Amino acid sequence: MCRTSVSCALVGAIVMATHVRARAQGLSAEELSAEAPATAAAAMQHDEPPQSNEQPEYPSLKITGFGDINYLSTHHAEGARGFTEGQFVLHMASALSPRATFFGELSFTPRADAGTGSPATAGFNPEVERMILRFDRSDRLKISFGRYHTPINFWNTAYHHGQWLQTTAVRPEMIQFGGRFLPVHFVGGLVEGAVPAGGLNVHYQGGVGNGRSSVISRGGDVGDSNGNRAWLANVFSKPDGLFGLQFGGSTYFDKVTLASAREFQERIVSGHVAWQKEDPELIAEVAAVRHEESNASVATWSHAYYVQAAYRLPQFSRLWKPYFRFEHIGIPKTDVVFSGVPQLDGTTAGVRYDASLFAAIKAEYRSWTRGAGTVRNYGGFLQLCFTF
């Protein structure tokens, strides 16, 4: 038996929270079958976990839910203020066979125009965020089809919907849900895998599908907006010698057709480095977006980056995790596709407190400007987030 109740709680917290976070990010069928609670019990009792000869049943559905409640107060009015209800999210994973896995993600977001119009607008906007069917030939080769979070940078595939999963209260603005700088969603097919590569553990992803719709914050859910498919490539490494390190880069090509019927070639290049540990946690990303109008020779480049650092304090049962982030978005005035996309120079300083195994409280102070000559805004933000 554990000598103290504190040590028992810590063992359970680490193992169970790791299980839920991994399960929510959409792992393979084999990884989803791991039973972390049984491992936690075994760790506390110093006994071997019970062995089972039962054959797996298919389909094997697992559901994980997330929610968050927020309070915001800013010096100048910009966005919501006061108490706000965040997204209600459901992650669904189902092993269909030893080599086939389904993953789905649903979100319900409160609407600012609820109750208006005739008939009255519903209070929440439901959205199928991800719907993926994947076939695993081996670790080296996996093929999937569906609606993805575009593997265009680190954050978009490391942290899905569910604020409890990430350290901070909100995403970096360059990859925020509903944002326009990077294409958050992608509808099509993806080939991916990993090779040892002498301990470098190189992962690759290549995809083709529908690009942005005429509303550039949306993916092509009902078809491509033009006859030109988007394609992407993503390569990153997780070397054995530096466990917790990930670094890599992505590229994305598409043709964007605006509502005005003007067409632009779009090329995106990005890179990232992340140290995926709690003490410290370090993430840095940069992305550049090139737009060139068809039958024109003038191109524009927009860019964005962020740097985030966090550290889980060893004191107080490792429940406190302060963090800091700086982020920047630069948009030239001549970029027609990004007309209306706000610029940003912002800092965030905050702390996360894990109030229980599956609930956390985050408090942040943010300060930002929207380009040269704009008035600086600032404010305080509180968030209660949880998983169930």
Side-chain angles (χ1 to χ4, degrees):
M1 298 291 291
C2 292
R3 294 185 178 182
T4 67
S5 59
V6 173
S7 60
C8 292
L10 286 175
V11 171
I14 293 171
V15 176
M16 293 176 69
T18 301
H19 171 67
V20 172
R21 286 184 187 235
R23 179 155 54 104
Q25 298 303 328
L27 300 177
S28 67
E30 293 79 7
E31 293 166 317
L32 286 166
S33 65
E35 293 296 334
T39 306
M44 291 188 287
Q45 297 177 7
H46 295 282
D47 292 330
E48 290 296 323
Q51 301 297 319
S52 174
N53 294 323
E54 294 183 5
Q55 295 297 317
E57 295 183 0
Y58 301 106
S60 178
L61 177 64
K62 297 183 179 180
I63 299 177
T64 305
F66 299 89
D68 59 278
I69 303 294
N70 304 274
Y71 182 83
L72 306 89
S73 177
T74 58
H75 183 65
H76 302 290
E78 183 177 336
R81 291 194 290 183
F83 286 99
T84 64
E85 186 174 359
Q87 285 189 326
F88 179 80
V89 180
L90 295 176
H91 290 192
M92 293 162 285
S94 182
L96 306 182
S97 75
R99 295 190 181 276
T101 307
F102 166 80
F103 192 83
E105 183 176 16
L106 299 176
S107 70
F108 301 85
T109 307
R111 297 176 57 130
D113 60 349
T116 63
S118 180
T121 304
F124 286 81
N125 186 44
E127 182 84 10
V128 178
E129 302 292 351
R130 287 185 292 160
M131 185 177 66
I132 303 165
L133 181 61
R134 193 179 74 188
F135 301 94
D136 297 355
R137 176 64 179 84
S138 66
D139 287 341
R140 294 172 181 261
L141 179 61
K142 302 174 184 180
I143 302 174
S144 60
F145 301 91
R147 189 178 201 253
Y148 308 82
H149 283 150
T150 313
I152 191 64
N153 74 339
F154 172 81
W155 196 287
N156 205 37
T157 54
Y159 305 110
H160 299 292
H161 291 261
Q163 305 298 71
W164 181 84
L165 294 168
Q166 62 193 35
T167 299
T168 55
V170 297
R171 287 179 148 216
E173 192 165 312
M174 65 182 283
I175 195 62
Q176 68 178 352
F177 293 124
R180 292 175 286 173
F181 188 82
L182 293 177
V184 175
H185 290 102
F186 177 81
V187 180
L190 198 67
V191 176
E192 59 188 310
V195 293
L200 290 177
N201 297 317
V202 176
H203 297 245
Y204 72 89
Q205 295 173 306
V208 61
N210 299 338
R212 302 184 194 248
S213 72
S214 57
V215 178
I216 64 170
S217 61
R218 303 284 305 180
D221 298 322
V222 296
D224 205 334
S225 60
N226 50 55
N228 192 76
R229 300 291 89 78
W231 66 271
L232 62 89
N234 180 30
V235 179
F236 60 91
S237 172
K238 294 182 176 182
D240 288 335
L242 293 169
F243 181 74
L245 175 66
Q246 176 178 321
F247 62 92
S250 306
T251 186
Y252 176 97
F253 290 86
D254 188 22
K255 178 188 283 187
V256 178
T257 301
L258 302 180
S260 63
R262 295 176 69 177
E263 293 187 333
F264 294 81
Q265 298 293 331
E266 180 176 66
R267 182 171 66 190
I268 303 174
V269 291
S270 67
H272 73 270
V273 59
W275 183 254
Q276 297 175 270
K277 290 191 175 182
E278 295 282 279
D279 47 2
E281 169 191 288
L282 301 170
I283 308 173
E285 297 201 72
V286 61
V289 183
R290 181 182 187 272
H291 290 136
E292 182 178 347
E293 190 165 9
S294 300
N295 302 318
S297 58
V298 178
T300 61
W301 280 96
S302 299
H303 64 279
Y305 61 85
Y306 73 88
V307 179
Q308 178 174 306
Y311 190 89
R312 186 167 292 280
L313 300 176
Q315 301 85 3
F316 315 111
S317 302
R318 294 179 58 83
L319 299 178
W320 295 85
K321 187 178 181 181
Y323 54 85
F324 177 85
R325 182 167 73 207
F326 175 78
E327 52 188 314
H328 168 82
I329 298 176
I331 310 290
K333 294 180 180 180
T334 53
D335 193 331
V336 177
V337 179
F338 283 167
S339 175
V341 175
Q343 302 198 62
L344 174 69
D345 283 289
T347 57
T348 299
V351 62
R352 172 182 174 133
Y353 171 69
D354 288 287
S356 73
L357 289 178
F358 305 118
I361 300 171
K362 305 173 189 177
E364 295 183 353
Y365 172 81
R366 302 179 201 159
S367 174
W368 68 95
T369 60
R370 293 295 181 182
T374 60
V375 177
R376 177 169 295 277
N377 204 355
Y378 55 88
F381 301 80
L382 290 173
Q383 181 181 86
L384 171 62
C385 55
F386 54 91
T387 182
F388 58 92

